[in-house]
Amino acid sequence: DIADMENAPTLAAARKILKERQFDLAILDITLPDGSGLELLNELNSLSPPVQVMVFSAHEITMEAIQQVGASLVKSRTDNAQLLGTIKRMVGIQ
């Protein structure tokens, strides 16, 4: 009830969707069939207004990438309550 979601299973699909719609938050996975979701960071940060970014992946990300995102969660160490709380905080609901 707090958000409309759009799924992009590939980088190509994500880039197409970003050209068509505006988002408050992007949740990136770093393991996609055609590359890393981190490849979208420059595009997301260059939008006006910049899109909040959370990485939610099976793998940890580098310190350099962490400095470019609002949150980074590892799937195996994050329960649904933590995930929802992070999403709410990032879109200003909490």
Side-chain angles (χ1 to χ4, degrees):
D1 293 339
I2 64 166
D4 294 325
M5 295 180 59
E6 183 81 33
N7 183 41
T10 64
L11 287 174
R15 286 186 173 110
K16 182 179 184 300
I17 293 168
L18 286 172
K19 289 179 183 175
E20 298 170 353
R21 296 189 52 204
Q22 189 172 1
F23 294 91
D24 296 320
L25 173 66
I27 302 173
L28 303 179
D29 193 338
I30 59 173
T31 307
L32 298 172
D34 57 345
S36 169
L38 296 177
E39 293 177 43
L40 297 170
L41 285 176
N42 287 337
E43 293 168 57
L44 292 164
N45 289 328
S46 69
L47 293 172
S48 183
V51 177
Q52 288 276 345
V53 178
M54 176 177 73
V55 174
F56 186 56
S57 185
H59 307 283
E60 292 192 30
I61 61 174
T62 66
M63 285 302 289
E64 180 183 341
I66 286 174
Q67 293 172 347
Q68 298 180 59
V69 301
S72 177
L73 303 172
V74 177
K75 290 178 181 179
S76 64
R77 293 185 289 206
T78 306
D79 63 30
N80 288 339
Q82 289 172 298
L83 177 61
L84 182 58
T86 301
I87 291 169
K88 285 181 174 180
R89 178 181 52 81
M90 292 188 75
V91 296
I93 294 175
Q94 257 180 347

